[in-house]
Amino acid sequence: MFFIFGWNHTKTTNYGPVEEHLCKNCHNTEFWHLNKISSYFTLFFIPIFAHDNDYWFHCPTCNYGIKLNNVDFLNYKSIAEINSAFLEKSITDEERIIQLDEIYKIIEKNNEEKNNKNIEESKNWVKLASEKTTNELSIILENTNKYNPAFIIAAKSEISKRNSSDNN
């Protein structure tokens, strides 16, 4: 007995229009769409289960797009569902606007939290770089692929700050 199995059979799910966007590639202004691309493990050429998902916000004209993380995908999915309901005339424009406002408030709050987290992390990297000797910072800058990019930026900034204070 033998089994025929495989993987990376893909299935694309289009969730519909999200928001109007100017495409950097084709320069059209269109309602960009949201897609989920699932890669499946197959048995006898039948998709059994998804082993990987990619989420894309893309131009419907040229398919240029932005890969999304899971949180952004879920937010955009909610927007696409509201827009689809409006296009299908199951909600009014006023209801659509109210629902979109609620989602945009959630997105804004999430972005604010993410920015605050990034600011805190940056402060920690700057503090860590300030505690290093100039020789240690030079060694770090010679091996940039071994360190967090935010730490590399903080190390460069610290060396520049030290060099400018040495020149004064």
Side-chain angles (χ1 to χ4, degrees):
M1 181 191 277
F2 66 94
F3 293 97
I4 300 173
F5 64 92
W7 57 91
N8 289 339
H9 169 81
T10 60
K11 175 186 172 194
T12 302
T13 306
N14 185 331
Y15 290 93
V18 178
E19 60 189 17
E20 201 168 39
H21 213 65
L22 173 64
C23 181
K24 294 178 184 178
N25 187 49
C26 68
H27 306 291
N28 285 317
T29 301
E30 300 283 342
F31 268 87
W32 281 32
H33 287 241
L34 181 65
N35 280 0
K36 177 171 91 171
I37 302 170
S38 302
S39 296
Y40 283 85
F41 175 80
T42 61
L43 183 61
F44 294 108
F45 307 106
I46 300 169
I48 304 298
F49 62 87
H51 64 81
D52 192 25
N53 291 311
D54 286 326
Y55 310 109
W56 289 91
F57 177 57
H58 71 95
C59 172
T61 303
C62 70
N63 279 330
Y64 172 81
I66 301 166
K67 188 173 183 180
L68 302 173
N69 62 33
N70 195 36
V71 173
D72 290 337
F73 166 74
L74 293 173
N75 289 328
Y76 280 33
K77 182 180 173 193
S78 297
I79 294 169
E81 289 169 348
I82 292 167
N83 287 334
S84 294
F86 171 70
L87 292 172
E88 294 166 0
K89 300 189 187 310
S90 52
I91 63 172
T92 65
D93 192 36
E94 293 81 24
E95 292 170 318
R96 181 181 76 90
I97 290 169
I98 291 168
Q99 291 177 19
L100 288 176
D101 283 344
E102 291 174 18
I103 291 173
Y104 284 125
K105 285 177 187 173
I106 292 168
I107 291 171
E108 187 177 317
K109 182 181 175 212
N110 289 342
N111 287 340
E112 188 177 315
E113 289 172 0
K114 195 184 314 182
N115 287 341
N116 289 339
K117 181 182 173 197
N118 289 340
I119 289 168
E120 274 307 306
E121 287 178 4
S122 293
K123 287 178 183 177
N124 291 337
W125 289 119
V126 168
K127 182 178 183 290
L128 182 61
S130 70
E131 295 169 351
K132 300 288 183 189
T133 66
T134 303
N135 189 37
E136 289 173 321
L137 291 174
S138 297
I139 292 169
I140 289 165
L141 292 178
E142 290 171 4
N143 300 300
T144 56
N145 58 338
K146 295 182 181 180
Y147 297 96
N148 183 303
F151 185 46
I152 300 301
I153 293 168
K156 286 179 183 178
S157 175
E158 183 63 25
I159 285 180
S160 294
K161 186 167 73 174
R162 290 178 188 179
N163 288 339
S164 67
S165 68
D166 289 344
N167 292 335
N168 291 334

